[in-house]
């Protein structure tokens, strides 16, 4: 459909409809007919597709606004839309010159926001980006970022989602600033791991030092120190033992006394498919697990053998975990 059709909706109405689609997608159920309706809506114009991608980001970043979105969605439903939720949308959508790539069940997509990013990684993919002389970014799985330049701040990285390790040569005078969530991080002469997921940012200085600015305050991290901030709060600086450093750069994942629900959530970031916990009560089981990234299926074998879980495997990388 011609992109000019977007002009039939004013901007406020467009974004309200996008929020309604996202809130239904997150909270209800989706039929094949409704999936086609959503694809048609996103394909009406670049403005529609962009509004939907932006609304999905806002849902994750602003959980306090979800109640109002749900009330808006009920009004939209009364005007003729049906409830929606995360589910299967097969294929590739072409609309208004933009492509929307759709993933298998329960991993909705590398969204239009992913496709617009300067750099991105898919499930299980890692990538190195050289920002400047002696400054590199190692991107972890399912991450996306933009890069720009500023007269005062130098090279700027906007971490939109995911995890990166900033690597800077010793005695380098280059300044690199990473924006993640509501804060900024500058790294100096070493390695700093920055993880931004679901509105929470975790900064771990592995070597050298890092400067974190958040809420008008500055926090200096030395090697082996970490802090976490969200939209309105920041933790104190904590010391992290070497065995608790992020381990993905060493090609493995390590979990120490972590709830099974968190373990599966992390595995799903790397998994080409989806791991589903059938019985939510099992999510509180504390798990100790170390697995190589090049042999992730081994994690299911360990969970099955040591924690009394039954694992049913399906095509497309889908696995259902339940009580044995």
């Amino acid at each position: 459909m011609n992109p000019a059709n977007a002009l039939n909706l004013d901007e406020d109405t467009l974004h309200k409809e996008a929020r309604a689609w996202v809130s239904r997608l997150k909270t209800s159920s989706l039929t094949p007919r409704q999936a086609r309706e959503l694809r048609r809506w996103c394909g009406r114009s670049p403005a529609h597709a962009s509004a939907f991608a932006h609304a999905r980001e806002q849902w994750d970043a602003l959980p306090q606004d979800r109640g109002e979105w749900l009330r808006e969605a009920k009004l939209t439903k009364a005007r003729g839309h049906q409830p929606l939720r995360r589910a299967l949308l097969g294929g590739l959508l072409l609309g208004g010159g933009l492509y929307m790539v759709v993933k298998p069940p329960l991993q909705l997509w590398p969204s239009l926001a992913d496709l617009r990013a300067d750099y991105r990684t898919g499930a299980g993919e890692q990538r190195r980006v050289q920002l400047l002389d002696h400054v590199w970014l190692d991107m972890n799985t399912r991450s996306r970022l933009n890069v720009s330049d500023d007269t005062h701040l130098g090279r700027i990285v906007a971490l939109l989602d995911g995890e990166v390790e900033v690597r800077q040569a010793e005695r380098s005078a280059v300044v690199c600033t990473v924006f993640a969530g509501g804060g900024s991080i500058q790294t100096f002469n070493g390695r700093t791991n920055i993880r931004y997921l679901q509105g929470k940012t975790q900064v771990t200085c592995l070597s050298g030092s890092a400067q974190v600015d958040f809420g008008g305050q500055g926090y200096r991290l030395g090697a082996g120190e970490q802090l976490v901030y969200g939209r309105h709060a920041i933790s104190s600086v904590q010391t992290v033992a070497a065995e608790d450093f992020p381990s993905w750069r060493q090609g493995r994942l390590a979990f120490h006394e972590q709830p099974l629900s968190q373990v599966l959530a992390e595995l799903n970031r790397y998994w080409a498919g989806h791991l589903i916990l059938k019985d939510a009560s099992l999510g509180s089981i504390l798990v100790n697990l170390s697995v190589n990234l090049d042999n992730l299926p081994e994690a299911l074998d360990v969970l099955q053998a040591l924690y009394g879980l039954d694992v049913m495997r399906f095509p497309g990388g889908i696995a259902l975990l339940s009580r044995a």
Side-chain angles (χ1 to χ4, degrees):
M1 183 173 289
N2 193 308
N5 287 334
L7 299 178
N8 294 333
L9 290 174
D10 62 55
E11 185 175 354
D12 183 61
T13 300
L14 184 67
H15 286 285
K16 281 184 177 179
E17 290 197 1
R19 290 194 296 267
W21 280 112
V22 169
S23 51
R24 294 184 192 111
L25 193 66
K26 297 286 189 179
T27 60
S28 307
S29 59
L30 190 69
T31 68
R33 182 185 63 80
Q34 292 162 349
R36 290 192 296 271
E37 185 180 356
L38 172 56
R39 293 201 300 270
R40 285 195 298 269
W41 189 91
C42 289
R44 287 179 59 185
S45 75
H48 285 75
S50 178
F52 181 74
H54 181 64
R56 289 187 67 243
E57 292 180 352
Q58 284 188 312
W59 176 276
D60 293 330
L62 303 173
Q64 69 273 17
D65 292 342
R66 292 174 184 173
E68 180 61 29
W69 286 32
L70 292 172
R71 285 189 289 273
E72 287 183 0
K74 288 180 180 179
L75 293 176
T76 307
K77 176 186 175 183
R79 293 194 295 266
H81 290 298
Q82 298 298 320
L84 296 174
R85 190 173 72 105
R86 179 186 296 113
L88 276 176
L89 293 176
L92 184 69
L93 173 66
L94 172 60
L98 297 178
Y99 292 88
M100 184 177 291
V101 182
V102 182
K103 290 290 284 182
L106 302 174
Q107 294 289 322
L108 194 51
W109 46 66
S111 67
L112 291 172
D114 295 330
L115 298 176
R116 289 198 306 266
D118 292 340
Y119 300 94
R120 65 183 184 276
T121 54
E125 180 186 3
Q126 294 176 359
R127 178 178 184 179
R128 173 165 290 183
V129 177
Q130 181 160 8
L131 289 179
L132 296 161
D133 289 341
H134 311 301
V135 181
W136 300 266
L137 282 182
D138 287 330
M139 300 177 64
N140 198 7
T141 180
R142 298 188 190 274
S143 299
R144 54 190 175 91
L145 57 87
N146 289 333
V147 177
S148 59
D149 291 292
D150 182 90
T151 303
H152 303 290
L153 297 178
R155 184 61 53 91
I156 295 175
V157 176
L159 179 58
L160 306 175
D161 195 49
E163 187 171 22
V164 298
E165 182 182 299
V166 183
R167 301 169 59 86
Q168 191 168 11
E170 293 184 9
R171 295 182 296 277
S172 171
V174 174
V175 176
C176 172
T177 303
V178 179
F179 286 91
S184 66
I185 305 99
Q186 288 185 316
T187 62
F188 305 94
N189 306 326
R191 298 162 49 223
T192 299
N193 194 87
I194 304 169
R195 177 184 173 99
Y196 175 53
L197 293 170
Q198 298 180 338
K200 184 174 73 173
T201 306
Q202 179 189 79
V203 183
T204 307
C205 182
L206 307 175
S207 64
S209 62
Q211 173 76 18
V212 179
D213 292 292
F214 178 84
Q217 300 293 321
Y219 304 82
R220 190 78 170 192
L221 299 182
E225 292 185 326
Q226 178 186 93
L227 59 72
V228 178
Y229 62 83
R231 283 187 55 78
H232 305 293
I234 187 168
S235 72
S236 59
V237 175
Q238 304 289 331
T239 300
V240 182
E243 60 267 23
D244 294 325
F245 280 3
S247 56
W248 62 271
R249 287 287 294 112
Q250 287 72 52
R252 64 185 181 88
L253 295 178
F255 305 98
H256 306 289
E257 294 294 305
Q258 287 186 246
L260 177 60
S261 58
Q262 294 181 14
V263 172
L264 293 184
E266 185 67 10
L267 287 173
N268 271 326
R269 297 184 60 233
Y270 299 82
W271 200 272
H274 203 81
L275 306 176
I276 304 168
L277 191 61
K278 183 178 179 181
D279 185 348
S281 67
L282 297 175
S284 60
I285 294 175
L286 297 181
V287 172
N288 289 289
L289 173 66
S290 180
V291 62
N292 291 329
L293 291 177
D294 59 2
N295 190 23
L296 283 181
E298 182 184 24
L300 295 186
D301 297 334
V302 173
L303 292 175
Q304 192 169 15
L306 298 184
Y307 295 94
L309 298 179
D310 183 58
V311 179
M312 296 181 63
R313 294 172 172 84
F314 300 92
I318 305 298
L320 186 65
L321 286 74
S322 59
R323 198 180 304 273

